[in-house]
Amino acid sequence: MKRTLCYIVISFCCFCAMAQEQQKVKVTGSIQSDILIPMRDEAIGAEKTEDFQTNTYADLMLQSKWVDAGVRLEYLEHPLPGFEKDFKGWGVPHFWVKGRYKNTELTVGTFYEQFGLGLILRTYEERSLGIDNSLLGARLVTRPVKGVTVKALAGRQRRYWGWNKGLVSGADAELNINEWIPALRDRGTEIMIGGSWVNKYEKQEDIFVDPTHKLNLPEYVNSWDVRASLNTGPWSLLAEYAHKGQDPSFDNGYNYRKGSAVVLSGSYSNNGLSVLLQAKRSENMSYRSRRSMIGTSSFINHLPAFTQEQTYALAALYPYATQLAGGEWAYQAEVGYNFKRKSTLGGKYGMNVKLNFSHVRWKGETYYQDIDLQLTRKFSKSTKFVFMYMNQRYNMTVVEGHGGMVRSNIFIVDGKFQLSKKTTLRAEVQYLSTPDDKGDWLYGLLEFSLAPNWMFSLSDMYNVGETNLHYYHGDVTFSMSGHRVQAGFGRTRAGYNCSGGVCRYVPASRGFTLSYNYSF
Amino acid sequence: MKKIVLLLCLMATFTAINAYAQMPAVTLKTIDGQMVRMDTVANGGKPFIVDFFATWCKPCLRELDAIAEVYDEWQEETGVKIIAISIDQAQNVHKVKPLVSNHDWEYEVFLDTTEELKRAFGVQMIPYTMIIDGQGKVAYKHIGYTDGDEQELINKVRELNDQ
């Protein structure tokens, strides 16, 4: 491992030197730093464990005609609240060199990859959740003939400040048939078929079911996936099936059943009208490079939640997390229509209507359901409103382990008022009504923008039902040519922070916050 | 030691290279499933706008909607075109085409499923907007969306056209 790292460091340095001489190199990169100066707050249960907490990342990437290279420095020695214990540390965990020749690319170092929808392999980075499950090894991507993409890879998976001992290897092939048939290409029709295979190798370990019986664990766990899609005119169809072999793990209670997942998706999009229908069934699909691992690390695959990702504060209060280890049936339907400008219903400026329905269940029990209706309408040249109603059922016991079913009705009004050419005021009022959990919530937001650099916002989330606590926040944001700085003060509620169906519990906090983003 | 070498290397490159960002050799798919190599994308010698977004990102949709209202006028006046890059993941990729139709956007829309292009430009936060000039260089970039930002965007395009 150390030798590999050395080679990569040396090649990176050579590349730096070579690049400087040739002056034909493209340099990009970014800095992201989120800082919290925490304060104690007994009312919301916020602790002050450190004087200063930060998650800071710096990325640098060099690109040339034949070779690209990149490194990332992470400083997480005093991390923000709520990350796993092993998350703490600092170093350069991401480093890679990529060579390119004709239609072939070879990456050595750490890399991210996804096969199909990611049912059996998806390595990615999600900083808000502290996820980086990149692989350290090698990856080859080649397009030997038009319409054919073949990928092969092998590597060890990152887990915070080390790499898991097990080896993950895999291959994927995708054929775009339309590239070979001119008649299809001319009509703009796309037909794709693909398949992939992933293998996880992990040594035996001593796991006892009782004092005298040790489990005979499989060292190799194979999984495969097949998929097909069709795109023609306004129609899109996709089907994907994945299968996982025996993979006894902590997640599934060390059972030897096989896992499977199937996804079907169809949509129609034409002239302002959109219809989307999706369905998924998955069972026993938790697939990690370390069988006894818990928490959010070491996943080889990723099945995001089959629900609408909500961004309004109260609509996102009870987010659903995918039940990977057990199973779920999930359905999603979405219909939208854009009433044109100067039509009877559209009025002078047009109107947009969207209806979404998500439902997740398993073995007769509802895990999650939401129905939401959203209407966007511009009333005058300077006034635009969004109205939203959502009915939600959230099975807290399944997702968080306690609490029963939370049934809620959520009402949202979002208004935008253009005051002058450069100044805009946006206001949100949201109300969540529920007899369950912590009762009703009221949320208000005022956001004043001074284009193109400044934004000032004030918000408060108030629990009307039980605790009568205010979660206030004030922020000032400045952005200019690749830089963005946001400074604020406020309270953050204890709760789940989710992205793509993966969740992290964040404890309550109060204090000054500062975020800095820079891309170059 | 290795960390120090890497850090020095990093700092050296920060200070020594006067290079510029350009479209990388990354292959993406359009929402209709066609393959596109990003370093071959151009707008006939005129500037074009690249905008990273996702179906779940409200400020992104507000920005692209605001531009959609004036897009015809922009194109007529400056010849600019917009390429919207979705960073949606897994099955959400299939929500992009319906979204584009529902919002009546006339942009070229590509899917950056593995976030390779996003990483190549060092994009961490969306919406992220760039203007690529007639020579293929990044001439302007902006993180986030403040209502009214689109005015600055078109002013920059006009400046580039005048040069």
Side-chain angles (χ1 to χ4, degrees):
Chain A
M1 189 59 58
K2 280 180 184 163
R3 192 175 292 171
T4 321
L5 190 58
C6 264
Y7 285 144
I8 288 165
V9 170
I10 291 164
S11 24
F12 192 85
C13 290
C14 294
F15 183 59
C16 292
M18 190 183 80
Q20 288 187 43
E21 264 176 33
Q22 290 191 351
Q23 286 287 308
K24 273 185 185 168
V25 74
K26 296 170 249 175
V27 183
T28 57
S30 64
I31 294 169
Q32 181 182 2
S33 184
D34 295 302
I35 297 167
L36 169 73
I37 298 170
M39 293 162 128
R40 235 174 100 81
D41 188 335
E42 280 176 19
I44 59 166
E47 294 292 330
K48 185 187 172 178
T49 48
E50 286 185 280
D51 292 334
F52 174 88
Q53 292 173 282
T54 180
N55 289 9
T56 299
Y57 303 83
D59 275 280
L60 179 73
M61 186 166 164
L62 307 174
Q63 298 165 63
S64 68
K65 196 176 172 191
W66 308 109
V67 188
D68 297 350
V71 283
R72 183 194 308 136
L73 170 73
E74 298 185 358
Y75 183 80
L76 311 164
E77 195 62 28
H78 305 279
L80 296 173
F83 290 95
E84 287 181 26
K85 206 174 117 254
D86 296 348
F87 181 75
K88 187 180 153 82
W90 78 280
V92 183
H94 193 61
F95 42 85
W96 55 272
V97 176
K98 178 155 88 180
R100 193 182 299 111
Y101 182 69
K102 288 186 177 164
N103 295 320
T104 302
E105 277 175 16
L106 175 70
T107 309
V108 179
T110 53
F111 57 88
Y112 300 97
E113 184 53 84
Q114 174 177 325
F115 291 167
L117 291 178
L119 300 179
I120 59 167
L121 184 116
R122 179 169 195 251
T123 58
Y124 68 110
E125 193 201 6
E126 179 53 65
R127 290 181 185 174
S128 66
L129 298 174
I131 292 178
D132 178 6
N133 60 359
S134 57
L135 292 171
L136 171 63
R139 174 186 58 166
L140 184 81
V141 180
T142 181
R143 295 184 174 81
V145 282
K146 214 176 171 188
V148 179
T149 309
V150 179
K151 298 172 183 174
L153 57 85
R156 287 169 57 188
Q157 191 165 42
R158 177 182 179 198
R159 184 179 182 275
Y160 302 120
W161 299 100
W163 282 274
N164 285 336
K165 287 199 178 102
L167 184 75
V168 177
S169 35
D172 178 81
E174 206 171 277
L175 314 178
N176 281 77
I177 293 166
N178 47 296
E179 297 280 346
W180 309 330
I181 305 170
L184 286 178
R185 208 174 48 223
D186 297 344
R187 283 177 51 194
T189 297
E190 181 246 0
I191 300 174
M192 182 277 291
I193 53 167
S196 44
W197 156 82
V198 173
N199 174 272
K200 172 193 85 167
Y201 167 75
E202 200 187 355
K203 267 200 218 156
Q204 277 279 354
E205 60 187 304
D206 295 344
I207 293 168
F208 291 88
V209 274
D210 59 48
T212 51
H213 291 88
K214 196 175 96 173
L215 289 178
N216 179 20
L217 298 162
E219 290 192 329
Y220 294 94
V221 178
N222 281 294
S223 59
W224 53 265
D225 163 288
V226 284
R227 59 189 184 268
S229 79
L230 168 73
N231 253 299
T232 182
W235 299 95
S236 291
L237 292 168
L238 168 104
E240 184 158 340
Y241 176 79
H243 176 93
K244 182 172 68 102
Q246 289 183 336
D247 182 22
S249 65
F250 182 86
D251 284 335
N252 66 15
Y254 294 100
N255 81 51
Y256 285 71
R257 279 202 315 265
K258 289 170 180 169
S260 67
V262 60
V263 176
L264 294 172
S265 167
S267 72
Y268 178 85
S269 327
N270 197 16
N271 209 14
L273 173 70
S274 65
V275 182
L276 172 80
L277 297 171
Q278 296 191 313
K280 177 187 83 170
R281 184 193 184 277
S282 70
E283 186 173 9
N284 192 14
M285 277 307 279
S286 165
Y287 193 24
R288 303 202 199 218
S289 57
R290 250 166 102 169
R291 60 173 82 84
S292 301
M293 192 46 66
I294 52 165
T296 52
S297 76
S298 306
F299 277 105
I300 302 171
N301 66 342
H302 179 212
L303 277 71
F306 233 68
T307 55
Q308 175 92 338
E309 197 147 347
Q310 300 291 350
T311 41
Y312 282 118
L314 294 186
L317 199 65
Y318 295 109
Y320 180 69
T322 313
Q323 300 304 303
L324 262 185
E328 56 180 41
W329 273 102
Y331 309 91
Q332 205 174 7
E334 206 179 271
V335 182
Y337 190 72
N338 199 33
F339 293 92
K340 297 255 183 291
R341 290 178 208 187
K342 292 171 189 157
S343 64
T344 322
L345 279 169
K348 198 174 171 187
Y349 299 98
M351 178 169 78
N352 190 288
V353 183
K354 256 183 226 176
L355 177 69
N356 180 77
F357 170 74
S358 313
H359 181 84
V360 187
R361 64 186 301 113
W362 186 245
K363 293 186 174 161
E365 190 181 4
T366 300
Y367 281 7
Y368 181 88
Q369 177 175 298
D370 76 30
I371 302 168
D372 69 76
L373 180 68
Q374 190 175 312
L375 198 144
T376 309
R377 190 178 174 108
K378 199 168 170 178
F379 287 92
S380 73
K381 221 173 172 182
S382 58
T383 319
K384 192 174 184 177
F385 274 93
V386 181
F387 302 95
M388 185 172 140
Y389 164 74
M390 176 159 131
N391 177 282
Q392 191 187 44
R393 295 175 73 191
Y394 170 77
N395 194 329
M396 208 170 185
T397 310
V398 166
V399 181
E400 299 178 30
H402 60 88
M405 186 70 83
V406 181
R407 295 174 181 83
S408 50
N409 287 298
I410 303 157
F411 306 88
I412 296 166
V413 179
D414 173 347
K416 191 178 110 175
F417 313 92
Q418 188 156 6
L419 308 175
S420 74
K421 213 171 175 183
K422 288 193 165 180
T423 51
T424 312
L425 181 72
R426 208 170 65 79
E428 284 179 20
V429 180
Q430 307 180 21
Y431 194 84
L432 181 146
S433 155
T434 176
D436 308 307
D437 194 32
K438 293 213 164 50
D440 293 10
W441 289 86
L442 175 67
Y443 175 89
L445 166 90
L446 278 178
E447 197 179 86
F448 179 73
S449 318
L450 205 62
N453 304 121
W454 293 93
M455 191 154 85
F456 305 86
S457 76
L458 277 176
S459 69
D460 187 29
M461 199 158 111
Y462 173 55
N463 184 280
V464 191
E466 206 181 276
T467 61
N468 293 320
L469 284 170
H470 286 277
Y471 292 90
Y472 46 81
H473 221 283
D475 286 290
V476 180
T477 311
F478 176 78
S479 16
M480 200 177 79
S481 60
H483 299 269
R484 185 180 188 273
V485 186
Q486 184 173 43
F489 178 77
R491 279 173 163 176
T492 306
R493 190 182 65 96
Y496 282 88
N497 174 10
C498 297
S499 177
V502 181
C503 297
R504 175 174 77 88
Y505 181 78
V506 185
S509 65
R510 183 175 76 117
F512 289 97
T513 54
L514 182 71
S515 295
Y516 174 60
N517 274 274
Y518 173 46
S519 296
F520 54 93
Chain B
M1 184 61 203
K2 284 188 298 272
K3 279 178 187 169
I4 295 165
V5 172
L6 264 178
L7 281 177
L8 286 175
C9 195
L10 224 125
M11 281 155 68
T13 20
F14 268 117
T15 47
I17 299 177
N18 300 311
Y20 49 83
Q22 255 182 339
M23 273 292 174
V26 170
T27 305
L28 302 186
K29 269 191 178 178
T30 69
I31 45 171
D32 295 314
Q34 313 293 329
M35 301 273 201
V36 187
R37 232 179 95 146
M38 291 310 290
D39 55 347
T40 63
V41 173
N43 187 27
K46 288 194 166 160
F48 61 94
I49 296 168
V50 174
D51 197 338
F52 287 87
F53 80 105
T55 56
W56 46 262
C57 163
K58 287 251 152 56
C60 305
L61 305 188
R62 286 215 308 277
E63 175 168 46
L64 288 166
D65 277 341
I67 297 174
E69 284 181 22
V70 287
Y71 192 40
D72 284 349
E73 294 158 33
W74 282 17
Q75 283 197 303
E76 215 164 282
E77 184 200 333
T78 62
V80 72
K81 77 169 175 181
I82 290 175
I83 296 174
I85 312 274
S86 149
I87 58 156
D88 282 275
Q89 54 187 7
Q91 78 272 358
N92 286 343
V93 164
H94 299 274
K95 290 183 179 172
V96 179
K97 197 174 167 184
L99 179 95
V100 171
S101 163
N102 184 237
H103 285 246
D104 266 336
W105 294 342
E106 289 164 13
Y107 315 134
E108 288 179 34
V109 184
F110 301 160
L111 307 169
D112 188 18
T113 326
T114 53
E115 300 193 347
E116 208 179 337
L117 188 71
K118 178 178 168 245
R119 267 193 297 275
F121 280 117
V123 177
Q124 294 303 337
M125 189 178 247
I126 54 165
Y128 187 93
T129 324
M130 297 187 294
I131 303 176
I132 315 289
D133 69 11
Q135 283 78 48
K137 293 180 197 166
V138 178
Y140 168 85
K141 57 200 159 193
H142 190 85
I143 308 176
Y145 176 65
T146 307
D147 292 289
D149 272 354
E150 59 278 5
Q151 267 313 316
E152 199 197 14
L153 204 60
I154 191 64
N155 287 340
K156 293 281 172 194
V157 172
R158 286 182 188 127
E159 274 173 33
L160 287 170
N161 272 348
D162 291 343
Q163 277 170 17

